[in-house]
Amino acid sequence: MPKPADQPHDAAMTNVSLTDRAYRIRRNALRMGEVQGQGYIAQALGIADVLAVAYFHALTHRPDDPEWEGRDRFLLSIGHYAIALYAALIEARIIPEDELESYGSDDSRLPMSSMASYTPGVEISGGSLGHGLGIAVGMALALKSKKSKSFVYNLLSDGELDEGHTWEAAMSAGSYKLDHLIAIVDVNNQQADGPSTEILNFEPLAPKFEAFGWYTQRVDGNDIEAVAAAFDKARGLTEPKPRVVICDTRMGKGIPFLEQRERNHFLRVEPDEWQKALAILDAGRGQ
Ligand SMILES: [Mg+2]
């Protein structure tokens, strides 16, 4: 499938590889984390490869016009992943890089939980979990009624699979045959209270979505080529079904001492560890 014509606009940035995009998204997230000294850093490092593919391979959008009617919508229902989304929006030049230092501060456009009214490129507000897929269903229905070709992507977490309305939305999407809806489930097997499959076991996950009428793929979410191929297949499919790409990701990906840290849902990182993490990331660039 050809790359969408509307992204990115900046000719100097068009030859940046997806691997480099993911590196820069991780770097932006770590720099924002350093501003606050803590945060949902492990999730951001884990989902960076998926966001690189989304914003620099899959989505049709206009960085200089984030509300362009013809755009694909990217809905983040996990409000606490805002740091990851901002990192991608900064890399996409939808948010200026110099705002990075304001992350989480009063009067910043980058609050610690995503807010649609605050931030360009943020489509919905997060916070209460489990609402994103339902909103995505409504948005996809509305676009379908307008005969729009735009896709609606919804990134949700494995913790959100505990929410009953996630499955009500999944059933609705299958029932309405929403073929321009692409759900992305970040399966890092962590949520606030511990390993997600131990809190409420959602496995086997792929057959559940299939049973609800979805075209289902499951990939290593830290394998950029596999993620890109899955997104291509999801977009190119002609079957009248919603699509889901289940992405298995590793919390803290790329920074071994953060990958190995226990209880890494919300990380407190010592002041001297941020530069250590950035140095490890820089040393591993392109690998
Ligand atoms: Mg999780």
Side-chain angles (χ1 to χ4, degrees):
M1 172 164 291
K3 286 186 69 171
D6 272 296
Q7 59 79 32
H9 272 188
D10 188 337
M13 297 290 280
T14 51
N15 293 324
V16 178
S17 70
L18 291 176
T19 302
D20 253 8
R21 296 289 189 188
Y23 154 74
R24 292 149 78 126
I25 290 169
R26 287 190 170 92
R27 204 170 203 295
N28 290 342
L30 284 170
R31 288 176 62 201
M32 277 184 280
E34 188 174 16
V35 171
Q36 291 294 330
Q38 58 189 9
Y40 300 96
I41 303 299
Q43 292 89 335
L45 294 168
I47 203 67
D49 299 304
V50 171
L51 290 172
V53 172
Y55 277 89
F56 300 98
H57 179 77
L59 264 75
T60 298
H61 66 106
R62 293 178 176 170
D64 56 358
D65 185 9
E67 295 184 14
W68 170 51
E69 178 61 23
R71 72 192 183 283
D72 290 337
R73 276 71 169 168
F74 187 90
L75 275 52
L76 180 76
S77 55
I78 334 147
H80 59 287
Y81 277 48
I83 189 169
L85 181 58
Y86 301 154
L89 293 174
I90 290 168
E91 178 60 14
R93 301 192 175 190
I94 295 170
I95 298 172
E97 188 178 351
D98 59 10
E99 286 190 39
L100 183 152
E101 301 285 337
S102 75
Y103 169 69
S105 304
D106 289 347
D107 300 325
S108 172
R109 295 200 300 175
L110 310 182
M112 291 184 76
S113 187
S114 51
M115 304 277 279
S117 58
Y118 281 38
T119 319
V122 173
E123 299 274 2
I124 62 170
S125 297
S128 298
L129 295 174
H131 294 294
L133 192 58
I135 298 169
V137 166
M139 212 176 266
L141 268 174
L143 288 166
K144 190 169 185 167
S145 76
K146 291 199 267 187
K147 306 205 180 321
S148 167
K149 300 292 181 199
S150 298
F151 280 93
V152 178
Y153 294 79
N154 172 225
L155 174 60
L156 65 154
S157 68
D158 52 6
E160 290 186 292
L161 299 172
D162 297 356
E163 304 279 357
H165 33 303
T166 293
W167 295 104
E168 182 181 355
M171 189 160 59
S172 301
S175 180
Y176 293 122
K177 300 181 170 49
L178 296 178
D179 53 359
H180 277 54
L181 173 62
I182 300 177
I184 308 156
V185 187
D186 179 19
V187 179
N188 54 22
N189 203 23
Q190 280 291 322
Q191 62 189 85
D193 294 329
S196 302
T197 48
E198 293 179 21
I199 304 294
L200 192 61
N201 187 18
F202 50 77
E203 299 287 6
L205 185 55
K208 288 187 175 65
F209 274 101
E210 283 166 13
F212 278 71
W214 290 61
Y215 177 75
T216 305
Q217 301 175 81
R218 187 164 191 164
V219 297
D220 176 347
N222 296 123
D223 179 337
I224 284 181
E225 287 187 15
V227 174
F231 276 39
D232 286 350
K233 207 166 179 180
R235 283 162 46 226
L237 191 77
T238 53
E239 272 186 88
K241 289 178 165 187
R243 296 87 154 100
V244 59
V245 183
I246 300 165
C247 295
D248 292 289
T249 66
R250 186 167 180 81
M251 299 274 281
K253 175 69 181 175
I255 312 295
F257 76 87
L258 295 180
E259 287 182 20
Q260 289 152 16
R261 193 159 291 183
E262 286 188 22
R263 299 193 65 82
N264 54 5
H265 177 79
F266 185 86
L267 279 176
R268 297 182 203 288
V269 179
E270 297 303 321
D272 63 308
E273 290 181 323
W274 293 103
Q275 289 303 317
K276 187 177 157 194
L278 283 165
I280 291 169
L281 188 69
D282 291 347
R285 184 178 186 174
Q287 293 176 3

